[in-house]
């Protein structure tokens, strides 16, 4: 199969979906400029022009509402935020209106607004530009939250979002944008709520969404050097969450490490741990371990930033801990962002 | 684009529409008044378990605006939405059943008084968070513009929404994208119990400030249904011609307490004299008097309607009370 | 000790703190009206007048920023939201500015803005007026989130908030407002991060914050009738969370039920389960159980609303399940809101 | 309260302040220019790992406004904050060290270029989310009003912030509460790469629209430091007298790319002719020429300053590079 980069997969899915459905339009700050949101909206602009790719004023709150009202008329808006941190300004619309629309108006129809938002990573983007808001959004029934970790998933989940009937938030980690992988040519949907086994293993289960699925796979490489077989699970969407794939893995390995790009407390890692404590407790042969960013805002300074983010090494170390193994990890692996210097 | 100015229009001006149209407006207002007064009385039975914001005293706005709309046009409202829902053609029984929390309610008992909707007649949604639906209405209007359709979207909101950021963002967006959005501000002078003077800059009015966004903005006597209709017709035509949004401030007044069925003469945030002065400007009575004076009908017509409407609401209440509650098995239905 | 109602305790704490510190002021929509936020701001208004009790225009986002800027000058704002759902409009200010201020500006000082917000409950307040946003706020380091469940805690936690150096969000469940209890006369702070044992027991641990601490105690009553001894833990603040008091209880009882007013997924109940799965796994003799609102927005209709909220009976049943007990619960207990008809 | 109008003021008007004041302004602008051009050059070494928005071309605004401020006044800014920080008296070494991510940075390497602060000289905070600090500045101003203090708060923001809801909410609040807030809009015609025309209503300008909020609102040539100073002095006096907020729109232009150290002539969103026309209006050169023409100093003074400033920035860079990085043990410090 031919390969694409993560951003190219998004670009391609957007164009293909827009070809198939004239109701889809792309909108957001700067979607039509020469950078084209790191290339992801460039194809749509070239193919469909500004009739269907709309730059907008700076108005996150109203614009979320605007897309809801357009969706209520049958349009299929695809909103893009260059940083997901800006979406806090739109939480009222997403939580109080989009998520609740179908239910509180009597199940007559939904407003399937699709919002893509990029999680900043690298080059000291700092406290207000590198949060991962996935758990915050995923707490609310009525929304779906997808966290594609591969080019194929970036395409397939976007296709599902643009053809489904539910508001979806797709969070894309900036650090994944240059990742290359096999991507089907056709616009095939990947369903929400269906995780994937990134790498099969038998000793310990590592669950990681978005960038952490990638870093967990690199951790599994390190562990393999030491003869330890880690199974890496990428849930692909965190709402709905594929509990079964996680539980099945834990039932097999008896050990669970959850890696996450956001804080532990009340985050994604808490939910995964809770699901296992509820539904596979008897299989756990050791306490669960969470590997996440620590309880502070994202710092800018490079040494602090490096220490702040979970790395393949810190995930691998957590696995060794959980396995009560006294092997040391054999090698450090460069930070995913080591060579990154923009555009940010 | 120019901004136009419209003085308060009094019925004394004699600018009545033709008889059939005028009579329809009067009856529509009477219907809303009858419905709400009946529901306010029944509310005390404590069977409508949903916080309810009555529109009593403000009926002319919804009825006048709806007179200028087509069935394919859409409308959005906020927490005080009964009149807007009914005037746009929302089913009365569905509304009453909603307040009674029944499965036959327009939101199947899930939404309550503040989340009425009737998409089948273009009343798309009401929502209890200030200003939300203003943006949604702009989005619907934008979709019409994209489709080069002659449909328009109406947004009803109160003077309290004017302070929210969404008001500004929506106006700016609507003007920049030139969407067919008819903005109807029901200025009843209060946001909950806080008067306008301590919430917005003095020395100017809402409609005047709005003109700075470069769209036509006018003020009408919101207790004069014929004046509202005339303004709304002008605004709707403007929007339909693709000239962008249009803003109408309607001066009116809420008679009852902010939320709930009671009078609140003694709450202290407004004087009895003020309330009474607005009751003296009762939009329903004024319109009735006008059509009678114009010879469009006699007093007996008013009395007949009154009886019919009492009957209609009584039947709607009976229907609601006889309707089943949603079954607990369906608790999750409609989340996705 | 003399008793006060929950709202009276808040009222009293506010006045006492304002007496002690002239920098404190109260502000929010309607804080100075005849209802005085269900009486909680009335004392301050009577005592200090509109010089220190400020009604404001409708502007949740800007006003959160305004209080941050006032706090930066040494003021101590106490903001009140009649419904915590309105705070979604202020999440940008709270997450991106208040929570991060001290850290991202180099640890020179914080902005100890205190926000009180009421969680709606009862009388069909519906989807947009009865959410419990505690976990959403508690995910962010830099904030404290308190959830007082008793009149004494409502007072003591507010005193801590108004004398501390950190932005605090205090969520008060409307259903607790008429609750009466002993309250010390003096303005004694109750520290954040220190839970309380509402009721000691040996068979099963029930953790519940805010209203659920109260409902859990009523569940414990039901269980006691059947000879089952439940220990009820109220964390009092959910950030910081008193993990130790929970762990100690679970180590003793071996069984955990978490009750919560918000959704299970990515909520408070997930975090409590995760903490136990990480730190007291070996003590768990049965899977953890979460008792929460189900995955839908809050419905209005009474029968649905009754089914929606966790009740003493549903908590008690979960405990019996966890204990693999086949006793049936002996009696139903009226919903906390049974007699409620406003003001809402 | 009245609103006042101020035409673009040209240096040709000869409205120079006295020599010492004028010279100070020129030197302050030269300092900021020298600092930023040096940092832009060094940025390519990739040691400043923080997205950086240079103010090159916009120095007259910060310097002119700061000329009207007292040390006890406070200022807030957004992502493009270097000039505001330096003009208010923020420590140069602290700023450079911050960009280099060092413990000696003004935010101890935690904040980066967009979160500069120097509370010791009244530069309270800059923040990267559009409009946030506008509201915070209003809050500081409100606290001064509560204390009946003569201090004022300044909010710097770009034309892009004008579209955000917070702009509206803050203006409304500031006027209603009559707080001493000096609002400085740096209109550089673009928000990222989007020109003003497609983001805001045409047929009017920002300062004109703002007048609808009932506060004085004026426009000045933001590339004329003396004009900015004069306007800011008027505005500051207004605020200090307790008359409420005051708004100044400053027309100016960003020379380099939106974020980063490069020129972006070929990006396509603006023409080379446009950029060059603004470079021809270089605020630094214009002010230099004016003071020389006025006989306040000779060219050699400019050359001497230039050398001094090169020296100062070189030392600051050396200081920053020699400073330690924060130790990883302190990663959590300052969260609470
Ligand atoms: C964002 C938000 N803030 C506050 C409230 C509480 N609230 C409900 S109705 C209301 C008053 C609104 O006044 P106005 O818009 O003039 O409508 P009216 O009630 O006068 O019809 C307020 C403040 C809310 N629902 N949403
Ligand atoms: C709420 C929010 N939305 C979007 C952005 C992304 N953004 C950063 S700078 C910028 C342009 C702002 O333009 P302006 O205010 O005119 O300032 P300028 O860069 O021109 O100085 C944008 C859109 C942001 N930082 N915050
Ligand atoms: Mg009103
Ligand atoms: Mg700009």
């Amino acid at each position: 199969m031919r390969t694409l980069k993560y951003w190219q997969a998004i670009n391609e899915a957007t164009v293909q979906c827009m070809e198939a459905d004239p109701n889809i339009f792309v909108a957001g700050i700067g979607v039509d400029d020469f950078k084209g949101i790191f290339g992801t909206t460039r194809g749509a602009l070239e193919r469909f022009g500004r009739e269907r790719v709309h730059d907008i004023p700076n108005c996150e709150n109203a614009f979320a509402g605007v897309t809801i009202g357009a969706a209520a008329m049958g349009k299929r808006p695809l909103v893009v935020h260059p940083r997901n941190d800006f979406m806090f300004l739109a939480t009222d619309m997403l939580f109080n209106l989009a998520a609740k629309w179908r239910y509180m108006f009597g199940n007559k129809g939904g407003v399937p607004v699709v919002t893509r938002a990029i999680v900043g990573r690298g080059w000291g983007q700092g406290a207000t530009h590198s949060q991962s808001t996935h758990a915050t959004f995923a707490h609310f029934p009525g929304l779906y939250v997808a966290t594609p970790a591969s080019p194929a998933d970036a395409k397939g989940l976007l296709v599902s979002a643009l053809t489904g009937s539910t508001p979806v938030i797709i969070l894309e980690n900036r650090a994944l944008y240059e990742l290359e992988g096999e991507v089907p040519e056709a616009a095939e949907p990947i369903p929400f709520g269906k995780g994937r086994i990134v790498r099969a293993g038998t000793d310990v289960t590592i669950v990681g969404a978005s960038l952490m699925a990638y870093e967990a796979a690199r951790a599994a490489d390190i562990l393999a050097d030491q003869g330890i077989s880690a199974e890496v699970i990428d849930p692909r969407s965190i709402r709905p969450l594929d509990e079964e794939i996680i539980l099945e893995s834990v039932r097999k390995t008896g050990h669970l490490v959850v890696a996450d790009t956001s804080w532990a407390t009340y985050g994604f890692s808490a939910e995964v741990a809770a699901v296992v404590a509820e539904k596979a407790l008897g299989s756990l042969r050791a306490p669960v371990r969470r590997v996440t960013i620590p309880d502070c805002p994202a710092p800018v300074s490079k040494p602090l930033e490096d220490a702040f983010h979970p790395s393949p090494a810190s995930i691998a170390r957590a696995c060794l801990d959980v396995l009560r193994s006294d092997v040391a990890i054999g090698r450090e692996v460069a930070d995913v962002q080591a060579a990154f210097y923009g555009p940010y | 684009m120019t901004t136009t100015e419209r003085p308060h229009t009094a019925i004394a001006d004699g600018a009545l529409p033709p008889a059939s149209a005028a009579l329809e407006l009067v009856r529509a207002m009477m219907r809303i008044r009858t419905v709400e007064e009946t529901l306010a009385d029944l509310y005390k039975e404590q069977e409508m378990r949903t916080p309810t914001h009555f529109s009593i005293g403000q009926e002319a706005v919804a009825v006048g605006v709806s007179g200028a709309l087509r069935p394919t046009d859409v409308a959005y409202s906020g927490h005080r939405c009964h009149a807007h829902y009914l005037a746009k053609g929302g089913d009365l029984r569905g509304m009453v059943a909603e307040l009674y929390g029944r499965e036959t309610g327009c939101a199947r008992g899930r939404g309550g008084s503040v989340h009425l909707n009737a998409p089948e007649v273009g009343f798309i949604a009401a929502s209890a968070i200030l200003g939300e639906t203003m943006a949604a209405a702009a989005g619907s209007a934008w979709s019409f513009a994209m489709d080069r359709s002659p449909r328009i979207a109406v947004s009803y909101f109160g003077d309290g929404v004017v302070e929210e950021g969404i008001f500004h963002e929506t106006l700016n967006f609507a003007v920049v994208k030139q969407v067919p959005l008819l903005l109807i501000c029901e200025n009843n002078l209060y946001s909950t119990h806080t008067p306008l003077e301590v919430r917005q800059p003095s020395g100017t009015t809402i409609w005047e400030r709005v003109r700075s966004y470069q769209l036509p903005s006018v003020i009408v006597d919101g207790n004069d249904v014929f004046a509202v209709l005339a303004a709304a017709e002008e605004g709707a035509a403007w929007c339909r011609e693709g000239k962008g949004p249009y803003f109408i401030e309607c001066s009116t007044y809420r008679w009852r307490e902010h939320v709930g069925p009671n009078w609140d003469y003694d709450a202290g945030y407004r004087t009895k004299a003020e309330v009474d002065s607005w009751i003296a400007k009762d939009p329903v009575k004024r319109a009735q008097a006008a059509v009678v004076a114009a010879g469009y009908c006699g007093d007996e017509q008013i009395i007949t309607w009154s009886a019919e409407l009492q009957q209609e609401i009584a039947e709607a209440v009976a229907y609601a009370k006889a309707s089943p509650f949603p079954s607990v098995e369906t608790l999750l239905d409609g989340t996705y």
Side-chain angles (χ1 to χ4, degrees), chain A, chain B:
Chain A
M1 208 185 282
R2 61 56 203 264
T3 63
L4 289 181
K5 292 188 170 180
Y6 189 94
W7 69 264
Q8 291 170 323
I10 296 166
N11 191 43
E12 180 173 279
T14 307
V15 172
Q16 288 176 332
C17 290
M18 289 176 80
E19 301 250 5
D21 183 349
N23 281 316
I24 298 174
F25 65 83
V26 175
I29 297 172
V31 291
D32 69 341
D33 75 11
F34 64 100
K35 295 195 169 175
I37 315 287
F38 311 113
T40 56
T41 58
R42 214 182 287 148
L45 181 67
E46 278 161 18
R47 177 78 182 71
F48 305 104
R50 292 199 166 79
E51 287 282 296
R52 290 178 68 190
V53 179
H54 303 276
D55 194 13
I56 60 164
N58 300 317
C59 56
E60 287 80 2
N61 185 16
F63 196 67
V66 162
T67 58
I68 290 169
M73 298 298 103
K75 293 289 174 199
R76 304 220 41 133
L78 171 56
V79 184
V80 191
H81 289 280
R83 284 292 173 273
N84 78 136
D85 317 65
F86 307 156
M87 288 174 78
F88 291 136
L89 289 166
T91 48
D92 174 68
M93 284 293 179
L94 293 166
F95 295 159
N96 275 332
L97 199 55
K100 297 177 174 41
W101 185 285
R102 182 187 290 277
Y103 189 88
M104 82 179 172
F105 294 133
N107 199 10
K108 297 171 190 170
V111 280
V113 173
V114 179
T115 309
R116 285 182 45 216
I118 297 165
V119 175
R121 173 75 195 263
W123 206 258
Q125 306 203 9
T128 59
H129 277 56
S130 27
Q131 291 158 102
S132 293
T133 59
H134 48 303
T136 300
F137 288 102
H139 184 48
F140 292 84
L143 297 178
Y144 285 160
V145 178
T147 49
S150 72
D153 287 350
K155 178 167 182 179
L157 290 165
L158 181 53
V159 172
S160 278
L162 288 172
T163 52
S165 56
T166 295
V168 181
I169 290 158
I170 306 182
L171 295 171
E172 305 159 358
N173 196 294
R174 180 72 184 86
L176 293 167
Y177 261 56
E178 297 300 319
L179 199 73
E180 196 146 344
E182 295 194 342
V183 178
E185 311 253 356
E188 289 164 14
I190 290 175
F192 301 114
K194 208 73 214 89
R196 75 183 161 114
I197 298 176
V198 179
R199 183 188 174 115
T202 51
D203 296 330
V204 56
T205 300
I206 316 177
V207 177
S210 184
L211 181 61
M212 285 302 124
Y214 176 73
E215 295 292 49
R218 301 207 297 154
D221 286 342
I222 300 176
L223 291 166
D225 292 351
Q226 318 295 319
I228 291 163
S229 163
E231 178 148 300
V232 177
I233 306 285
D234 170 8
R236 298 206 278 206
S237 72
I238 73 156
R239 183 177 199 108
L241 178 66
D242 186 347
E243 299 187 351
E244 231 7 90
I245 199 172
I246 296 169
L247 293 170
E248 207 170 298
S249 179
V250 171
R251 284 189 197 112
K252 180 172 64 179
T253 65
H255 296 94
L256 175 65
V257 168
V258 192
D260 193 31
T261 49
S262 190
W263 298 284
T265 316
Y266 308 106
F268 169 73
S269 65
E271 180 61 24
V272 174
V275 165
V276 171
E278 284 180 319
K279 300 183 183 167
L281 187 88
S283 306
L284 278 176
R285 280 180 276 142
V288 172
R289 178 65 66 96
R290 296 190 266 179
V291 184
T292 69
I293 55 173
D295 264 349
C296 64
V300 160
S301 182
K302 179 102 172 49
L304 295 182
E305 208 189 10
D306 288 346
F308 180 74
H309 293 288
S311 65
S314 63
I315 297 169
R317 266 188 221 102
C319 293
L320 293 173
D321 265 14
V322 162
L323 293 166
R324 290 187 192 74
S325 161
D326 45 19
V327 270
I329 64 168
R331 57 191 167 99
E332 294 286 333
V333 165
D335 187 273
V336 63
Q337 287 300 80
F340 184 85
Y341 56 94
Y344 22 80
Chain B
M1 188 178 20
T2 60
T3 58
T4 56
E5 193 161 339
R6 172 186 296 275
H8 275 64
T9 310
I11 290 183
D13 291 350
L16 290 193
S20 70
L23 292 173
E24 217 175 284
L25 297 177
V26 173
R27 192 176 191 281
M29 283 202 293
M30 287 177 62
R31 182 164 179 263
I32 295 171
R33 174 69 58 86
T34 308
V35 166
E36 289 212 300
E37 289 194 328
T38 305
L39 293 178
D41 285 347
L42 291 171
Y43 200 85
K44 291 148 197 168
E45 292 177 355
Q46 298 189 27
E47 288 184 40
M48 287 174 255
R49 295 176 65 96
T50 169
T52 300
H53 307 76
F54 289 97
S55 316
I56 297 167
Q58 307 189 184
E59 298 86 350
V61 178
V63 170
V65 169
S66 295
L69 301 182
R70 301 176 183 167
T72 50
D73 295 333
V74 299
Y76 286 84
S77 178
H79 56 286
R80 199 175 304 286
C81 59
H82 298 181
H84 308 140
Y85 167 97
L86 290 172
K88 187 72 175 73
D91 179 43
L92 174 62
R93 301 199 306 177
M95 173 179 131
V96 179
E98 187 60 31
L99 269 66
Y100 277 91
R102 307 301 162 125
E103 180 66 29
T104 52
C106 63
R108 292 190 176 159
R110 272 69 174 178
S113 161
V114 294
H115 296 125
L116 299 184
N117 70 99
E120 66 285 1
V121 294
F123 188 79
I124 305 301
S127 136
I129 303 292
L130 295 182
E132 271 181 355
T133 54
M134 224 184 135
S140 292
W142 195 30
S143 80
F144 302 151
M146 288 179 186
D147 294 346
R148 306 197 201 322
S149 144
R151 296 168 74 186
I152 72 170
V154 175
S155 167
Y156 292 104
F157 51 91
D159 50 294
V161 169
V162 172
E163 297 136 35
E164 293 278 2
I166 189 112
F167 176 85
H168 171 74
E169 292 186 355
T170 303
L171 272 179
N172 186 68
F173 181 87
V175 171
V176 164
K177 301 290 187 191
Q178 290 284 289
V179 306
L181 176 65
L182 183 58
L183 295 145
I184 307 293
C185 177
E186 276 181 291
N187 182 353
N188 62 9
L189 303 176
Y190 292 88
S191 172
T192 315
H193 311 116
T194 305
L196 197 56
E197 309 86 76
V198 301
R199 295 169 10 233
Q200 295 179 27
S202 61
T204 179
T205 59
I206 293 169
W207 75 280
E208 285 172 322
R209 289 203 304 279
V210 165
R211 293 172 71 177
S212 67
Y213 291 88
Q214 300 294 98
L215 78 167
S217 178
V218 303
I219 187 165
V220 287
D221 179 346
N223 279 12
D224 178 346
V225 69
F226 308 117
V228 173
L229 174 68
E233 279 177 335
E234 195 172 301
W238 176 277
C239 294
R240 242 183 266 290
E241 285 162 28
K243 293 178 175 169
Y246 191 102
F247 190 99
I248 304 176
E249 175 182 346
C250 304
S251 321
T252 186
Y253 201 77
R254 149 176 72 76
W255 293 7
R256 304 280 175 114
E257 59 186 341
H258 167 68
V259 55
N262 301 305
W263 298 89
D264 66 357
Y265 277 118
D266 50 358
Y269 68 96
R270 54 187 192 176
T271 63
K272 182 163 191 317
E274 181 180 292
V275 182
D276 288 343
S277 76
W278 281 92
I279 292 177
K281 291 183 266 192
D282 182 349
V284 180
K285 288 226 182 87
R286 281 170 71 191
Q288 288 170 337
V291 289
V292 171
Y296 288 176
C297 74
D299 285 334
E300 69 297 344
Q301 175 67 81
I302 307 288
I303 292 161
T304 311
W305 280 342
S306 202
E308 285 170 19
L309 294 167
Q310 295 286 355
Q311 178 71 15
E312 189 190 0
I313 175 67
E315 278 169 19
V317 169
Y319 169 83
K321 289 191 172 188
S323 290
F325 282 105
S327 100
V328 170
E329 287 70 54
T330 65
L331 177 58
L332 297 176
D333 288 9
T335 306
Y336 288 101

